[in-house]
Amino acid sequence: MLVRSIAAARLVFAAFAVFAFAAAAQAQLLTFVSNAGDDTRPCTVQAQPCKTLLRAAAVTLASGTVRILSDLAAQPATNIVRSVTVEGGGNSVIGAITISASAAVVTLRGLHLTGRDALANGIIINSAAAVHIEDCAVERYTNDGIKLGGATPTKLFISNTVSASNGSDGFYAENINAQAVIENSRFEGNAGSGLYLKVESANVSGSVASGNVSSGMVLRSTGAKITQTTADNNGGRGFLVYSGAARFSSAQATRNIAGLTISDSAFVYIANCMFLGNFNGDVNDQGFAYSYGGNAISWWIGNDPVAQTPF
């Protein structure tokens, strides 16, 4: 009888241990960070958060979520190496985030990242399968607000995001294998360009690239589609198409040094656009331009556009 009781007790203990392990693993799918937290904690209890985003990202399991509960003072550099979601809740974070995991799908949502004019880059993507930047603000970095490099065929989605007042570009992408989709976002007041896109394909819609010291948007993509997007009051060009093919629909560039500049190795298709009031020409065409009608352009320099049937 005693043997049976001991065996039963062992089974109960084993079952409890398995349950506890499963609960701990489940808990690590959701971690918490607060400026009043402590990094000696496991980060898994909302009332007992850890202090740094670095610690929370390190202990969160793949496909888990890091939830920021308060503004965070100066943070150590955070390196994300697995698929996670970081929910900022609109809180301000002084720090930088690097993503380095070629198979990872990472979402950054509701973050207000600031470099306080002391940190180089805000969000750095070295490698990832996909990155979603949603409802974020990235500002006051000495170099780029958002930077996409490497050679991984990353799919990057930026929506409802602002990248402003950075020391170089609002968004700098130099990954010829990547695809970038940008919606309803603003790239303003940067000391370089609003957007610099050297990617396989770029799709920009409903966005603004204005008030930058250099150009509003620089395109070096194999293919780019720019829709309902504005590039006004930039110190250089509104839109500069260096190479590849770009299609502009319902786009606007006014009060720039030049509105739209097309290099001699680029192809541009224009419909229902307004390029007016630019100081050194509304369109400076050294490449190949095709007009599909509905455009308001008063000062065209260079090759005449080829008229096409409206699309």
Side-chain angles (χ1 to χ4, degrees):
M1 181 67 83
L2 180 59
V3 172
R4 290 181 180 177
S5 297
I6 293 172
R10 286 175 176 171
L11 287 173
V12 171
F13 178 78
F16 177 78
V18 170
F19 174 79
F21 176 80
Q26 181 67 28
Q28 287 181 340
L29 286 172
L30 180 59
T31 59
F32 302 92
V33 188
S34 168
N35 203 50
D38 187 336
D39 273 358
T40 63
R41 298 167 178 167
C43 315
T44 56
V45 178
Q46 184 168 349
Q48 297 181 334
C50 52
K51 189 176 183 66
T52 65
L53 186 55
L54 173 65
R55 165 70 173 163
V59 301
T60 303
L61 297 176
S63 301
T65 297
V66 177
R67 191 164 292 164
I68 298 173
L69 304 177
S70 73
D71 291 348
L72 298 180
Q75 295 283 297
T78 300
N79 192 24
I80 295 176
V81 295
R82 62 181 65 88
S83 297
V84 296
T85 295
V86 178
E87 295 181 349
N91 290 301
S92 179
V93 178
I94 303 171
I97 295 175
T98 298
I99 300 170
S100 302
S102 59
V105 177
V106 175
T107 298
L108 306 178
R109 180 183 299 125
L111 276 169
H112 179 188
L113 281 171
T114 179
R116 293 284 182 93
D117 303 316
L119 301 176
N121 301 293
I123 300 170
I124 310 103
I125 304 164
N126 292 323
S127 62
V131 176
H132 300 259
I133 302 173
E134 305 169 356
D135 304 303
C136 291
V138 186
E139 50 97 19
R140 292 178 58 190
Y141 289 88
T142 61
N143 196 9
D144 303 315
I146 303 169
K147 187 172 186 175
L148 171 62
T152 304
T154 302
K155 294 181 179 179
L156 175 61
F157 303 89
I158 300 176
S159 61
N160 302 305
T161 288
V162 176
S163 184
S165 302
N166 298 292
S168 187
D169 299 329
F171 173 37
Y172 178 85
E174 192 170 26
N175 179 342
I176 60 174
N177 299 312
Q179 301 174 37
V181 177
I182 302 164
E183 300 176 336
N184 304 316
S185 294
R186 305 178 72 88
F187 305 86
E188 299 174 306
N190 298 287
S193 298
L195 302 100
Y196 179 102
L197 302 175
K198 186 178 181 180
V199 292
E200 180 182 16
S201 66
N203 191 328
V204 183
S205 63
S207 295
V208 174
S210 295
N212 300 286
V213 173
S214 186
S215 296
M217 185 182 303
V218 180
L219 295 170
R220 305 186 73 167
S221 303
T222 302
K225 184 177 180 181
I226 313 301
T227 307
Q228 295 180 336
T229 290
T230 298
D232 294 340
N233 296 303
N234 294 287
R237 287 92 163 181
F239 300 101
L240 171 58
V241 185
Y242 258 126
S243 59
R247 175 174 288 193
F248 290 85
S249 178
S250 302
Q252 171 183 309
T254 65
R255 300 183 300 279
N256 304 281
I257 293 298
L260 167 66
T261 296
I262 309 166
S263 76
D264 57 7
S265 59
F267 294 80
V268 171
Y269 308 85
I270 308 169
N272 303 311
C273 292
M274 184 173 72
F275 303 132
L276 293 174
N278 297 285
F279 298 111
N280 289 339
D282 296 326
V283 177
N284 191 326
D285 177 17
Q286 301 167 5
F288 303 89
Y290 300 87
S291 174
Y292 288 80
N295 298 303
I297 302 169
S298 61
W299 188 3
W300 189 289
I301 300 173
N303 300 327
D304 290 331
V306 178
Q308 299 288 328
T309 302
F311 58 73

